[in-house]
Amino acid sequence: GDNGSFLRDSLTLLPPNKLMVLFTSMGLPLVVKEEGRIFPASHKASDVVDLLYQECLKARVTFKLNTKIESVEHNNATFTLKMETKEEHYKTLLIATGGATFPHTGSQGDGWRFAKALGHKIVPVHPALSGVRLINSPLTSCSGITVEEATISFNKRQFSGPLLITHRGLSGPLILNSSRYFSREQSIKISFLPNPDGVEDRLKKLSAQKGAAQLATLIHQLGVPTKLVNSILEEGKIDGRRKAAEVGKKEIKKVVSLLTQMELTVSLKGALKGAMVSGGGVALEEVDPTTLHSKLVKGLFFAGEVLDIDGDSGGYNLQAAFSTGYTAAKGIARLYH
């Protein structure tokens, strides 16, 4: 994300290779998959959770489950955690409550409420790493189709990558990694082909070589899935069964425009609950990146998604959570020892 530089110190303290050594030393075998992604060898996320839980028990961590914190106050160098039936008091508070996605897990944005009550600014929260709904588009009829290298452009931004068409809209790494920049309802232009600048010349060349072939067949040969070709041509009211030799320059330009500059409207309405990550959060200028100690309140620390950081898909957000948690723990230790 745009705020990635804030993580420099945390990633230096606990980089990916050190995290791998840490997990392996605790007895969790790891495996490196495609694109360098790291998984537990069992491919069970629950094994990671169980391991961390057991390590916490060894360290005599006290867990208080099913305990809702209603509010947090700070007076006389003491944090007061107010619960439904009691209060508890601490000298140090680490807010690591995650974001607001998947609220059934208990991550409902409480950390931002606590941070704001303690005087911190909260950057407006929005979905990140989210699929989007398409508004009034026939492309949803192509559900399940993947385009290996598509490009989208909007608001002077441009992103490329694999695109997945779903029964409701668009997803895949291309959409997930750019969704943090979408407004609630966003107009985008999409190219279904790499190197869109050369598409017109390639299509004209194919038409000259294979004039007897159907237009739809030639477009498919450019690398566009057949079902998607038919949907795009239907959108442009173009008969793909016509012979390529019969298609004039004006229609060729229209086809190219549909293939490389199709205008779509996408919506993030209701996406926060299902997004992989929340964007926004505790303003970074109010947090020391070397310790994750609040610059406003002594003894207050932050870690993970509650901060205004969000990364691309592929494990970056998990690494950020582990690294900032480690950095905050080091910061707390330095503060009191």
Side-chain angles (χ1 to χ4, degrees), residues 198-242:
V199 170
E200 184 172 351
D201 289 339
R202 286 158 59 198
L203 189 55
K204 284 180 178 178
K205 187 175 181 181
L206 278 173
S207 297
Q209 293 172 344
K210 303 176 181 181
Q214 291 186 353
L215 175 62
T217 301
L218 296 190
I219 297 172
H220 171 65
Q221 290 177 8
L222 290 174
V224 184
T226 300
K227 193 173 181 180
L228 179 57
V229 171
N230 294 334
S231 179
I232 290 171
L233 291 176
E234 181 184 337
E235 173 77 353
K237 296 180 172 57
I238 296 170
D239 185 359
R241 295 168 299 180
R242 290 175 60 191

Side-chain angles (χ1 to χ4, degrees), residues 14 35 57 59 67 148 179 215 240 246 284 309 311 337:
L14 186 69
E35 299 176 6
L57 294 181
T67 304
E148 291 303 326
S179 61
L215 175 62
E246 298 172 355
L284 301 182
I309 52 171
H337 299 289

Side-chain angles (χ1 to χ4, degrees), residues 204 207 215 242-255:
K204 284 180 178 178
S207 297
L215 175 62
R242 290 175 60 191
K243 291 181 179 181
E246 298 172 355
V247 179
K249 292 180 180 180
K250 192 173 181 179
E251 274 190 302
I252 289 285
K253 283 187 176 295
K254 187 175 182 181
V255 169

Side-chain angles (χ1 to χ4, degrees), residues 9-323:
D9 293 289
S10 292
L11 291 172
T12 299
L13 273 177
L14 186 69
N17 61 333
K18 188 173 179 180
L19 179 62
M20 291 175 69
V21 170
L22 190 62
F23 273 130
T24 304
S25 68
M26 291 181 194
L28 183 73
L30 302 174
V31 61
V32 182
K33 301 286 282 186
E34 65 279 353
E35 299 176 6
R37 299 184 184 199
I38 315 299
F39 294 88
S42 65
H43 288 84
K44 293 180 180 178
S46 58
D47 284 355
V48 182
V49 177
D50 292 343
L51 175 80
L52 293 173
Y53 178 66
Q54 292 302 321
E55 289 295 318
C56 285
L57 294 181
K58 289 178 189 176
R60 301 195 302 280
V61 171
T62 300
F63 286 88
K64 299 190 178 183
L65 307 179
N66 301 310
T67 304
K68 184 176 181 180
I69 300 170
E70 301 286 355
S71 63
V72 177
E73 295 178 0
H74 183 254
N75 293 295
N76 301 320
T78 300
F79 294 96
T80 300
L81 276 58
K82 295 191 174 185
M83 302 164 200
E84 291 175 332
T85 59
K86 61 178 180 177
E87 294 182 357
E88 295 187 358
H89 306 279
Y90 299 93
K91 291 294 183 185
T92 311
L93 177 66
L94 167 60
I95 298 180
T97 52
T101 60
F102 297 100
H104 63 278
T105 64
S107 179
Q108 300 179 32
D110 290 332
W112 298 318
R113 180 165 58 85
F114 301 150
K116 187 175 181 179
L118 293 168
H120 275 270
K121 174 186 170 186
I122 306 301
V123 176
V125 174
H126 55 88
L129 293 187
S130 174
V132 295
R133 288 191 302 111
L134 278 170
I135 297 177
N136 299 325
S137 172
L139 288 186
T140 50
S141 65
C142 300
S143 175
I145 286 179
T146 297
V147 179
E148 291 303 326
E149 191 175 350
T151 299
I152 61 170
S153 53
F154 60 96
N155 299 346
K156 298 182 180 179
R157 295 182 184 270
Q158 185 169 297
F159 300 91
S160 298
L163 172 76
L164 171 66
I165 301 174
T166 70
H167 69 287
R168 297 182 65 206
L170 303 174
S171 189
L174 171 58
I175 297 299
L176 294 177
N177 293 334
S178 55
S179 61
R180 62 166 72 93
Y181 301 113
F182 291 163
S183 55
R184 187 179 175 87
E185 193 166 298
Q186 181 71 56
S187 175
I188 66 173
K189 286 187 177 180
I190 185 166
S191 170
F192 298 99
L193 289 165
N195 306 317
D197 291 343
V199 170
E200 184 172 351
D201 289 339
R202 286 158 59 198
L203 189 55
K204 284 180 178 178
K205 187 175 181 181
L206 278 173
S207 297
Q209 293 172 344
K210 303 176 181 181
Q214 291 186 353
L215 175 62
T217 301
L218 296 190
I219 297 172
H220 171 65
Q221 290 177 8
L222 290 174
V224 184
T226 300
K227 193 173 181 180
L228 179 57
V229 171
N230 294 334
S231 179
I232 290 171
L233 291 176
E234 181 184 337
E235 173 77 353
K237 296 180 172 57
I238 296 170
D239 185 359
R241 295 168 299 180
R242 290 175 60 191
K243 291 181 179 181
E246 298 172 355
V247 179
K249 292 180 180 180
K250 192 173 181 179
E251 274 190 302
I252 289 285
K253 283 187 176 295
K254 187 175 182 181
V255 169
V256 171
S257 178
L258 288 167
L259 289 171
T260 63
Q261 296 186 66
M262 179 179 274
E263 293 191 27
L264 299 170
T265 301
V266 298
S267 172
L268 279 171
K269 184 179 180 181
L272 189 60
K273 289 183 179 180
M276 295 181 189
V277 177
S278 304
V282 175
L284 301 182
E285 64 266 23
E286 298 175 350
V287 181
D288 182 348
T290 64
T291 60
L292 298 180
H293 193 186
S294 165
K295 294 179 180 179
L296 309 182
V297 182
K298 185 177 180 181
L300 177 61
F301 291 79
F302 300 97
E305 196 180 338
V306 73
L307 292 161
D308 181 23
I309 52 171
D310 59 277
D312 288 354
S313 63
Y316 296 104
N317 293 287
L318 283 168
Q319 180 67 51
F322 287 126
S323 294

